[in-house]
Amino acid sequence: QITLKESGPTLVKPTQTLTLTCTFSGFSLSTSGVGVGWIRQPPGKALEWLTLIFWDDDKRYSPSLKSRLTITKDTSKNQVVLTMTNMDPADTATYYCAHRGQYGDYVFGYWGQGTLVTVSS
Amino acid sequence: SFELTQPPSVSVSPGQTASITCSEDKLGYKYVSWYQQKPGQSPVLVIYGDSKRPSGIPERFSGSNSGNTATLTISGTQTMDEADYYCQAWDSRTGVFGGGTKLTVL
């Protein structure tokens, strides 16, 4: 059974760096073809794709946010970490991590519950 | 830039067929997936690879993709299908979601 759970601060100040951790179970990020991605959703708005890391450490980033995002993995801990620099109130959103696997391409078959991050002074 | 365009809202009567579109130039050359999101819940994959259903997804959900438009079709729509639906595709090594469509069943 694949599960993912996001953790991190619920409130950050403008200009600060956000660090979120995705802890997962039921799969290994060292298995060929597997990936973990991050997606966010501002309150009442649409999903926005952020980044994805693959089992071989290949990384993909949203072009509009690439300069602010970093994704890393710790295979031994079954964790993926997202950092986003220079946070702004417009970054207030629910942040989801999700599993990419048997459905191919960059399809997310399993999602975490999401964590709401508010950016405010 | 690559953008996926969806209608903001679609309404359907129970038991009827709902169609939600997702458009972009030459979208038919890419694989499209669809996600269902109910209020307060995480998205759920309902269609991948244009027309494939993950296990556990009812047969009334189907998908197609040709030309510039991908379509999610829900046959015999039920009240439980009321939700936001998002299409997703890939372009230039990055993922893109559509703006979402609110499906109202009334």
Side-chain angles (χ1 to χ4, degrees), chain A residues 32-55:
Chain A
S32 178
V34 173
V36 172
W38 288 92
I39 306 98
R40 72 178 180 179
Q41 184 173 38
K45 295 188 177 181
L47 300 172
E48 181 181 13
W49 190 91
L50 298 179
T51 182
L52 172 62
I53 189 166
F54 290 95
W55 81 101

Side-chain angles (χ1 to χ4, degrees), chain A residues 2 5-7 21 35-36 51 57-59 62 90 99 106 109 120:
Chain A
I2 290 176
K5 187 172 183 179
E6 307 84 355
S7 60
T21 300
V36 172
T51 182
D57 212 37
D58 187 14
K59 302 167 186 177
S62 165
H99 169 272
Y106 304 97
S120 174

Side-chain angles (χ1 to χ4, degrees), chain B:
Chain B
S1 64
F2 186 81
E3 295 182 5
L4 298 175
T5 301
Q6 298 182 236
S9 62
V10 169
S11 297
V12 65
S13 300
Q16 299 303 303
T17 297
S19 295
I20 299 172
T21 57
C22 175
S23 300
E24 170 58 50
D25 186 43
K26 300 179 181 178
L27 186 59
Y29 288 102
K30 304 181 186 296
Y31 282 123
V32 174
S33 54
W34 292 90
Y35 300 84
Q36 175 194 69
Q37 186 181 33
K38 296 182 178 179
Q41 298 183 18
S42 302
V44 172
L45 178 69
V46 294
I47 292 289
Y48 68 99
D50 293 339
S51 59
K52 302 180 179 66
R53 276 181 294 106
S55 60
I57 300 302
E59 291 185 8
R60 64 180 181 273
F61 288 87
S62 62
S64 63
N65 184 18
S66 180
N68 299 328
T69 303
T71 303
L72 172 68
T73 302
I74 309 173
S75 305
T77 306
Q78 301 183 9
T79 54
M80 69 173 65
D81 300 329
E82 186 163 286
D84 293 328
Y85 290 85
Y86 295 91
C87 59
Q88 182 204 7
W90 283 83
D91 182 70
S92 301
R93 296 169 52 88
T94 189
V96 178
F97 286 98
T101 298
K102 181 177 181 58
L103 177 66
T104 301
V105 183
L106 44 67

Side-chain angles (χ1 to χ4, degrees), chain A residues 22-92:
Chain A
C22 176
T23 302
F24 55 84
S25 63
F27 68 94
S28 172
L29 200 38
S30 60
T31 300
S32 178
V34 173
V36 172
W38 288 92
I39 306 98
R40 72 178 180 179
Q41 184 173 38
K45 295 188 177 181
L47 300 172
E48 181 181 13
W49 190 91
L50 298 179
T51 182
L52 172 62
I53 189 166
F54 290 95
W55 81 101
D56 59 357
D57 212 37
D58 187 14
K59 302 167 186 177
R60 309 291 166 86
Y61 293 100
S62 165
S64 62
L65 293 167
K66 185 175 182 179
S67 63
R68 300 174 54 206
L69 296 176
T70 302
I71 188 170
T72 60
K73 63 180 175 72
D74 186 329
T75 305
S76 65
K77 292 183 178 179
N78 282 353
Q79 291 181 333
V80 170
V81 175
L82 171 73
T83 60
M84 179 180 291
T85 61
N86 194 24
M87 293 292 284
D88 182 270
D91 296 313
T92 294

